[in-house]
């Protein structure tokens, strides 16, 4: 896959997507958002890919937000369209991807950057990372799902404070709040994300996709996640992975999941 603003590396079932605009602190311009959409879509369709890590290039930033220079002169209609399209093609798209996506936050994750990390299935961070939703300091609100996913992850009161103050929290504070799962040094960040990914990749990819759907449905308007869980649980019994997983257990060996 050839892109201008991102790099995609693949090895042994693991894909690493690197947002690569370090001079602009990896800010998300329109082209980058579209490339990320295309990359995630292609990786989801590639059945050899069992997990994806998303990170930023350089040592300073994961993503320092949406590219302010692109929307500074937008009208009301254009602003609404920016949020709608971005949510649809990137943020909701990543959250609902059937392949697990881990955000490896290697520096600033601000505004759209934190929103992108929050759309991933879970997050790990390096100890220099700083996170926040500074949009109100620009006279706007988070538009890529930040007002919804931040309260889901850290609770309403903490989210309100972070959004209203436009403040930044450290990686350790983010861990205490439940926003990131692990904090490590910058050198150890990708190895840690890869170690977690390798544990995930040992399991049934079909069951993992079903689990992502069931967990996500808990947060969808008008959708009953318990019902999704029942349906997806039942569907697992028709998969080759289920046959292999249960047979391997009974035969006291490690499963070799076909991913079907
Ligand atoms: N959009 C567009 N460009 C951005 C950007 C963004 N969100 N964040 C950083 N950049 C650009 C800067 O304009 C600068 O470009 P230049 O060298 O051509 O002038 C370059 O990235 C480096 O950023 P700089 O501000 O010089 O780095 P810093 O170390 O002094 O500060 C930040 C780092 C993250 C604190 C600061 O860049 C910042 O506040 N960025 C905006 C964060 C934000 O409000 N995000 C939400 C957007 S909705």
């Amino acid at each position: 896959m050839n892109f201008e603003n991102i790099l995609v590396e693949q090895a042994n079932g693991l894909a690493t997507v690197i947002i690569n605009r370090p001079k602009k602190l990896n800010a998300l311009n329109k082209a980058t958002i579209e490339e990320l959409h295309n990359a995630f879509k292609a990786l989801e369709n590639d059945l050899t890919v069992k997990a994806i890590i998303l990170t930023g290039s350089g040592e300073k930033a994961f993503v320092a937000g949406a590219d302010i220079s692109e929307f500074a002169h937008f009208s009301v209609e254009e602003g609404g369209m920016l949020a709608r399209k971005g949510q649809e093609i990137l943020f909701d798209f990543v959250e609902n991807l059937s392949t697990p996506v881990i955000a490896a936050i290697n520096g600033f994750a601000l505004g759209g950057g934190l929103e992108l990390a929050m759309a991933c299935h879970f997050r790990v961070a390096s100890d220099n990372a700083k996170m926040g939703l500074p949009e109100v300091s620009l006279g706007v609100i988070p538009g890529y799902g930040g007002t919804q996913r931040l309260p889901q992850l850290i609770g309403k009161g903490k989210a309100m404070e972070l959004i209203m103050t436009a403040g930044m929290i450290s990686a350790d504070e983010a861990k205490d709040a439940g926003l990131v799962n692990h904090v490590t040094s910058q050198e150890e960040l990708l190895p840690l994300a890869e170690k977690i990914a390798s544990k995930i990749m040992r399991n049934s990819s079909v069951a993992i996709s079903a689990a992502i759907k069931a967990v996500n449905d808990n947060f969808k308007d008008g959708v009953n996640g318990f019902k999704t869980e029942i349906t997806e649980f039942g569907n697992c019994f028709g998969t080759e992975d289920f046959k292999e997983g249960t047979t391997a257990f009974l035969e006291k060996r490690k499963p070799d999941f076909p991913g079907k």
Side-chain angles (χ1 to χ4, degrees):
M1 283 182 265
N2 273 333
F3 299 105
E4 272 181 34
N5 301 287
I6 64 172
L7 303 168
V8 180
E9 295 168 357
Q10 273 179 250
N12 307 319
L14 176 66
T16 306
V17 178
I18 305 158
I19 302 166
N20 191 30
R21 298 181 76 216
K23 287 188 182 143
K24 294 289 172 191
L25 303 187
N26 303 321
L28 294 176
N29 61 359
K30 189 166 176 266
T32 307
I33 288 177
E34 279 167 8
E35 288 186 4
L36 284 167
H37 171 80
N38 291 332
F40 279 113
K41 195 172 175 182
L43 292 171
E44 183 179 44
N45 289 335
D46 182 342
L47 296 181
T48 67
V49 175
K50 305 288 183 200
I52 302 169
I53 295 170
L54 176 64
T55 194
S57 75
E59 297 191 343
K60 201 166 164 185
F62 173 73
V63 171
D67 192 321
I68 299 167
S69 65
E70 272 192 353
F71 63 73
H73 304 292
F74 273 12
S75 66
V76 169
E77 287 72 26
E78 288 170 317
M81 185 60 80
L82 181 74
R84 189 173 307 111
K85 183 153 186 228
Q87 291 198 17
E88 184 190 318
I89 72 168
L90 184 56
F91 298 80
D92 291 355
F93 192 78
V94 168
E95 180 168 66
N96 292 303
L97 215 70
S98 55
T99 312
V101 187
I102 306 169
I105 304 175
N106 57 309
F108 287 113
L110 301 174
L114 180 55
E115 290 173 301
L116 183 56
M118 290 193 294
C120 295
H121 297 127
F122 61 91
R123 290 141 293 284
V124 297
S126 55
D127 49 19
N128 64 311
K130 294 241 181 290
M131 284 157 253
L133 293 177
E135 284 86 347
V136 298
S137 72
L138 297 166
V140 68
I141 67 166
Y144 288 145
T147 64
Q148 306 303 299
R149 291 193 182 98
L150 190 61
Q152 284 171 4
L153 286 163
I154 70 172
K156 186 175 170 184
K158 283 185 196 148
M160 283 285 198
E161 183 180 338
L162 200 57
I163 291 168
M164 288 184 206
T165 58
M168 287 188 212
I169 55 171
S170 67
D172 285 333
E173 287 169 314
K175 181 167 179 265
D176 288 345
L179 186 52
V180 304
N181 294 4
H182 307 278
V183 176
T184 187
S185 65
Q186 191 148 51
E187 308 81 71
E188 284 303 312
L189 181 65
L190 283 183
L192 172 67
E194 285 161 10
K195 192 171 157 199
I196 299 169
S198 74
K199 285 188 189 168
I200 292 172
M201 285 156 52
R202 272 182 230 146
N203 300 317
S204 158
S205 56
V206 185
I208 285 171
S209 303
I212 290 171
K213 186 169 172 16
V215 172
N216 278 342
D217 276 4
N218 180 38
F219 299 96
K220 285 191 183 141
D221 218 17
V223 180
N224 185 324
F226 287 96
K227 284 192 179 152
T228 305
E229 184 180 282
I230 291 166
T231 306
E232 293 294 332
F233 179 83
N235 287 344
C236 289
F237 287 72
T239 67
E240 290 182 30
D241 275 12
F242 176 74
K243 275 194 198 81
E244 169 60 11
T246 47
T247 306
F249 178 82
L250 295 171
E251 290 175 356
K252 300 192 187 305
R253 61 173 173 82
K254 288 207 166 116
D256 180 15
F257 290 113
K260 289 190 264 186

